[in-house]
Amino acid sequence: MEKGLTVRKIVIAGVLGAIAILLGVTRIGFIPVPTAAGSATIMHIPAVIGGIVEGWGVGLVIGLIFGVSSFLNATVPLFKDPLVAILPRLFIGVTAYLTYAGLRRVNEHAAIGLAGFVGSMTNTILVLGMAVVRGYMPFGVAVSVAVFSGLPEAIVSVIVTLAVVVAWKKIGSAGKQKSKISGDF
């Protein structure tokens, strides 16, 4: 992984940030569920993927984009509060990166899956925690939402993150091979 800000990191942050915005604006990123939350989200997954693939800084930027998008498109008072909608989302890609970086030498696939789970649960726990602290919901409701929406979101995050990151890494490693067409062997 390259250190510092690179064109690649900017482009990947932009593309994954745009996906997060698209998921929010089109409401594709919100899956209706019959719980207190009303919907489960997959909007955090681009931040998780960005953190794993390009590091904590890219994950933080995509989390910021997700949070601002959530704030600007809020339809309930809970997410019209920037301390609930934006601040917790900054940590999604950061925790995903730290989890992946700490475990990738042990087992890369397990590290990717666990990073998807941790990033998703970071979103759930920090958003619901801030909602409780700010008085938008009682603790019991937050726990119910975490169990009945947060855990299924985390499972989906593991599956999608594994599929995307493993494919991404295979494509990236194929690009590092010498081209037989150009004559470079």
Side-chain angles (χ1 to χ4, degrees):
M1 185 175 319
E2 298 173 359
K3 302 289 182 194
L5 189 62
T6 64
V7 172
R8 175 185 166 92
K9 287 183 179 187
I10 293 169
V11 170
I12 289 174
V15 169
L16 290 172
I19 290 169
I21 291 169
L22 180 70
L23 290 172
V25 171
T26 62
R27 310 293 293 168
I28 294 170
F30 298 99
I31 302 162
V33 293
T35 66
S39 65
T41 184
I42 56 171
M43 291 178 50
H44 58 281
I45 295 175
V48 170
I49 293 169
I52 293 169
V53 174
E54 289 299 326
W56 68 267
V58 171
L60 186 137
V61 168
I62 299 166
L64 174 65
I65 292 168
F66 165 34
V68 170
S69 173
S70 176
F71 175 73
L72 294 175
N73 294 302
T75 57
V76 294
L78 168 71
F79 292 109
K80 291 181 181 181
D81 183 341
L83 294 177
V84 177
I86 299 172
L87 182 64
R89 272 63 188 268
L90 297 176
F91 299 99
I92 298 168
V94 175
T95 59
Y97 166 74
L98 292 173
T99 302
Y100 172 72
L103 297 173
R104 71 177 171 224
R105 289 191 177 100
V106 176
N107 181 318
E108 184 151 21
H109 288 89
I112 293 167
L114 194 55
F117 184 84
V118 168
S120 181
M121 290 309 293
T122 297
N123 180 52
T124 299
I125 292 168
L126 294 183
V127 168
L128 292 174
M130 189 60 78
V132 169
V133 167
R134 302 282 293 157
Y136 292 106
M137 68 177 61
F139 180 75
V141 172
V143 170
S144 173
V145 171
V147 170
F148 294 109
S149 289
L151 288 176
E153 286 175 4
I155 292 167
V156 169
S157 179
V158 168
I159 294 166
V160 173
T161 300
L162 262 168
V164 171
V165 174
V166 168
W168 191 316
K169 287 183 172 287
K170 284 184 181 178
I171 291 169
S173 65
K176 293 178 183 173
Q177 296 172 355
K178 299 288 184 176
S179 170
K180 292 181 181 181
I181 296 171
S182 66
D184 296 333
F185 295 100

